[in-house]
Amino acid sequence: MLPTILLLSIKPEYAKQIFETQTKTIELRRVRTRLKEGDIVVVYVSSPKKVFVGSFDVERIIEIKASRQELKKFWDEYKDNLGISRQEFYSYYQGASIVVGILIKKIKPFEKPVKLERLSKKLSDLRPPQSYRYLNKNEYEIIKALGTN
């Protein structure tokens, strides 16, 4: 069975923590996706960078209710892997109904980041999402190929 391929938009400071310092090993989201263990996430770094920097595999997904008690347990267990402060964590999940943690493994940075303008020449209809969007295998292969040459 083919893996699900998700394109995530991530702010520059968090992408740096994933790909450069590797201090962020859990990507946080407020909405559920179809991701499961072994799926692939392609990372688009949002403005001002506007580049595709690489991908990672999904180790597993954690989903919990965003209740005060569950948030505290999640923070206490995973705070060292999130790349944000306690205040940022609670602020991000204020008003949310669910916490989704995407556990990261096998980080694969592109040899050469792919600028949005360059990708537009090959995939003119691909627009980076506000949050996420699914990619088909062909879109993924084109992005990956551009990242290696």
Side-chain angles (χ1 to χ4, degrees):
M1 192 165 118
L2 292 174
T4 296
I5 305 165
L6 189 74
L7 172 59
L8 275 184
S9 288
I10 298 179
K11 291 181 180 178
E13 63 267 30
Y14 304 129
K16 182 178 182 178
Q17 291 176 17
I18 293 169
F19 287 91
E20 293 178 31
T21 63
Q22 297 188 7
T23 53
K24 180 175 175 62
T25 58
I26 299 176
E27 173 60 19
L28 297 172
R29 294 287 146 162
R30 293 170 49 114
V31 293
R32 186 176 279 124
T33 67
R34 296 191 312 247
L35 287 176
K36 61 191 175 321
E37 180 182 338
D39 286 340
I40 299 167
V41 173
V42 175
V43 175
Y44 171 76
V45 180
S46 59
S47 190
K49 301 272 188 191
K50 298 183 181 178
V51 294
F52 297 81
V53 293
S55 66
F56 60 80
D57 292 351
V58 175
E59 181 175 331
R60 69 184 172 103
I61 300 293
I62 301 169
E63 283 185 18
I64 63 164
K65 285 186 175 176
S67 68
R68 183 173 288 161
Q69 183 180 1
E70 291 297 315
L71 281 169
K72 183 183 181 330
K73 282 176 25 184
F74 188 92
W75 173 258
D76 288 345
E77 185 168 350
Y78 298 109
K79 63 186 172 198
D80 295 334
N81 307 95
L82 304 178
I84 59 175
S85 70
R86 183 179 187 280
Q87 182 179 351
E88 289 168 316
F89 175 78
Y90 282 99
S91 176
Y92 181 64
Y93 284 109
Q94 186 172 7
S97 59
I98 189 170
V99 173
V100 177
I102 304 169
L103 278 71
I104 297 168
K105 70 175 183 180
K106 293 187 187 171
I107 299 166
K108 300 171 222 159
F110 292 147
E111 293 170 21
K112 185 174 170 184
V114 180
K115 291 184 178 176
L116 187 54
E117 310 86 65
R118 188 165 166 238
L119 181 63
S120 295
K121 293 174 185 167
K122 297 275 189 186
L123 290 171
S124 59
D125 60 335
L126 181 70
R127 302 279 176 268
Q130 283 290 118
S131 178
Y132 72 89
R133 92 185 263 285
Y134 295 94
L135 295 174
N136 63 45
K137 186 166 175 32
N138 183 55
E139 291 169 325
Y140 172 61
E141 292 299 334
I142 289 171
I143 294 168
K144 201 165 73 166
L146 288 171
T148 58
N149 59 41

